[in-house]
Amino acid sequence: MRHTLFTALLFGLLIAVIPAGPAAAAGADCGKNFPTRLGCWQDALDDGAVVTVTLNKPLGFDAGQKGGEAAVRRDLKNLRVQVPAGVHTGQGGTALLVLAGHALVDRDARIDRLDARTLAELPACDGDLCKALKNSSFTGGQLIDKKVGVAELGGGRKSTDHTRVLLLALTAVLLLLLLALLLAVRRSRTPATEISSEETSAETTARLRPVPPAPAPSSYGRQVGPRTGPSRTAVVRTALHPQGYVELDHVLYRAVWAEPDRTPPVPGAYVEVTDAREADSDVLYAFPPAARHHARGTS
């Protein structure tokens, strides 16, 4: 699953940083007169390609020399005409803007008015752009503000840049999510350290000595006889079955449950402990707190 997510995110990143392929551009060998240029672009237009024509200087309109309306193609929806800043179109450039499916002009471009001769050669002049241009010349900004079917040159590139930035941001977010997912999976696979009931608190200073195994008792503890001597209060730290550990003054001691007929207390409970009778024994005897004798008063 992690490999699949990484591959998808990498593919999305490549889409975001690799620019889209350019549309077909008009070649420099398409001749100089208007109908010859339209014929030069015909194959690409018929194949469905978008032909981009950038007017860097005025273009004349001499369709009448090549047969009038027959030389002016009616299907130019895939033609994109761009007029940069500081350029005026001429009659041919204006005719291209009117006929083209995509008209892009800079606000500082100059779009010339269509004269009577050019209008007579055009198939029709029923669109908003043509109607505006048959009456007057305009700047690109004026046509854009009139909303007659002309887009601002550069707006498409800005939109593409904004889309690319959005894709990059989205890819970055997805990569961060993937990184968080990988860290979560890695942490979930790390085995947790279990603390057994035999481990003590951090304040304990004594080192635990292993409790020697003992045969399973027939009762809960060991019969040690009546309690003698003073007693002290301790905290049970491990189960007394019958031996375990109790904590006394932050030090661990081995202890044996001295009440075999009673259930030993659980870890954390309080008990009373006394020293063992054997002189060389380091095991304490543990009794219930309620079973304290008057001898405790001497502790």
Side-chain angles (χ1 to χ4, degrees):
M1 177 180 178
R2 287 181 295 171
H3 293 297
T4 302
L5 285 174
F6 181 78
T7 302
L9 290 176
L10 181 60
F11 180 71
L13 182 61
L14 290 176
I15 291 177
V17 299
I18 295 176
D29 56 348
C30 284
K32 296 183 178 180
N33 64 65
F34 192 87
T36 302
R37 293 193 178 199
L38 287 179
C40 182
W41 305 328
Q42 180 174 353
D43 291 340
L45 292 170
D46 289 342
D47 290 340
V50 176
V51 175
T52 300
V53 176
T54 300
L55 298 177
N56 294 317
K57 60 182 180 179
L59 178 64
F61 186 82
D62 45 10
Q65 301 175 11
K66 299 294 180 179
E69 291 189 11
V72 180
R73 292 175 50 85
R74 296 174 180 270
D75 185 11
L76 296 177
K77 64 181 180 181
N78 288 335
L79 179 64
R80 175 187 291 133
V81 179
Q82 302 179 158
V83 186
V87 175
H88 75 88
T89 57
Q91 290 298 299
T94 304
L96 281 181
L97 282 177
V98 171
L99 296 171
H102 310 275
L104 306 173
V105 297
D106 189 273
R107 284 189 167 271
D108 294 329
R110 184 70 180 179
I111 316 302
D112 294 327
R113 180 180 67 85
L114 292 170
D115 60 23
R117 176 175 172 272
T118 304
L119 285 170
E121 299 283 357
L122 293 177
C125 188
D126 51 3
D128 293 338
L129 179 60
C130 185
K131 290 178 180 179
L133 289 172
K134 74 178 182 180
N135 295 320
S136 178
S137 297
F138 293 94
T139 64
Q142 289 172 331
L143 288 179
I144 293 170
D145 295 338
K146 287 176 69 68
K147 295 181 172 54
V148 290
V150 175
E152 183 173 359
L153 180 61
R157 291 197 296 270
K158 292 179 181 177
S159 176
T160 301
D161 292 340
H162 291 165
T163 302
R164 187 170 301 167
V165 170
L166 179 61
L167 287 174
L168 285 173
L170 180 60
T171 302
V173 172
L174 292 177
L175 287 175
L176 289 176
L177 291 176
L178 176 61
L179 178 60
L181 177 62
L182 293 178
L183 291 177
V185 171
R186 184 176 179 181
R187 291 186 61 182
S188 65
R189 292 184 177 180
T190 303
T193 303
E194 296 184 359
I195 301 176
S196 66
S197 61
E198 296 182 0
E199 293 185 359
T200 61
S201 61
E203 63 183 6
T204 301
T205 59
R207 184 182 297 275
L208 294 177
R209 289 180 294 175
V211 179
S218 57
S219 58
Y220 292 109
R222 180 187 303 174
Q223 187 68 46
V224 298
R227 180 172 60 171
T228 61
S231 63
R232 292 168 291 175
T233 302
V235 180
V236 178
R237 289 303 180 195
T238 67
L240 303 176
H241 287 293
Q243 279 195 36
Y245 283 93
V246 297
E247 182 180 342
L248 185 64
D249 297 329
H250 306 307
V251 179
L252 294 178
Y253 295 90
R254 288 197 300 169
V256 63
W257 181 239
E259 296 286 343
D261 297 331
R262 301 179 62 174
T263 303
V266 297
Y270 290 96
V271 294
E272 300 296 323
V273 295
T274 64
D275 294 330
R277 296 188 183 88
E278 298 82 1
D280 58 348
S281 175
D282 59 355
V283 178
L284 301 177
Y285 294 158
F287 296 90
R292 304 180 66 180
H293 293 177
H294 65 278
R296 185 186 177 192
T298 62
S299 61

